Amino acid sequence: MAEDLTRATGTKEEQYQALLPQVKALIDYESDFVANMANLAAALKEQFDFFWVGFYLVKDEQLVLGPFQGPVACTRIAHNRGVCGTAWAQAKTIVVPDVEAFPGHIACSSLSRSEIVLPIMHDDNCVGVLDVDSAELNSFDAVDAKYLQEMVQILTAASII
Ligand code: SME
């Protein structure tokens, strides 16, 4: 495939709809998990210019920083700590409209204002999370949750984990 992304315009949903088949094309024929996480992070950053988008992976009972796009970030997050550790512990997507209102939020950057974290499920286990941060309040909702979930499913279906 051509490693070029066509940036879409329109509503957030239209942008996700345009990005989805491109993400599928990028990932579907590659089985390497790291390569696929790296390209998914890059595709999301390129389309939406999120402040930070990346992965944390479960290793030795912690979340450890994986491929990402954006400023340098915390490398390790404990189980049930912060938004990422909570999404891991609960194996649930968490939308945070205002990070200051989330008890225990871990501020890797003081510029991050809202956040969405999705668990990455494999064989009924949470093996990591996808974390997307915005520099604005209230950036994420059910539309982001739906399409990011689809992208995580494409990732886990194609990759050897
Ligand atoms: N805010 C996250 C930490 C990761 S950074 O945002 C990249 C949290 O509370 O878990």
Side-chain angles (χ1 to χ4, degrees):
M1 60 146 299
E3 280 83 14
D4 277 336
L5 201 73
T6 305
R7 274 190 76 169
T9 54
T11 64
K12 179 161 75 173
E13 183 146 29
E14 286 165 346
Q15 292 184 52
Y16 275 117
Q17 282 169 351
L19 186 61
L20 205 51
Q22 299 189 75
V23 161
K24 203 165 162 50
L26 263 175
I27 288 178
D28 247 4
Y29 299 100
E30 174 55 62
S31 62
D32 189 275
F33 191 33
V34 171
N36 285 337
M37 287 188 284
N39 258 342
L40 180 50
L44 288 166
K45 175 78 174 167
E46 197 170 334
Q47 175 61 48
F48 293 103
D49 199 23
F50 291 127
F51 177 70
W52 195 93
V53 49
F55 294 87
Y56 283 90
L57 299 172
V58 176
K59 291 180 189 175
D60 300 331
E61 301 304 311
Q62 289 183 315
L63 287 173
V64 181
L65 183 63
F68 71 95
Q69 297 269 321
V72 295
C74 327
T75 52
R76 290 175 187 269
I77 296 173
H79 192 248
N80 221 8
R81 293 296 167 90
V83 188
C84 291
T86 305
W88 170 27
Q90 297 180 0
K92 271 183 18 194
T93 296
I94 300 182
V95 175
V96 181
D98 177 357
V99 296
E100 285 181 17
F102 187 94
H105 168 259
I106 298 165
C108 290
S109 166
S110 58
L111 296 176
S112 177
R113 308 289 302 282
S114 59
E115 181 165 3
I116 183 170
V117 180
L118 296 95
I120 299 172
M121 303 303 294
H122 177 65
D123 291 344
D124 288 334
N125 291 317
C126 181
V127 296
V129 298
L130 168 61
D131 179 13
V132 186
D133 288 25
S134 166
E136 284 152 36
L137 293 170
N138 296 308
S139 287
F140 304 106
D141 56 23
V143 171
D144 302 276
K146 174 184 165 189
Y147 286 100
L148 292 173
Q149 176 63 41
E150 285 193 42
M151 291 181 192
V152 166
Q153 267 158 12
I154 292 169
L155 172 72
T156 53
S159 308
I160 296 171
I161 297 174

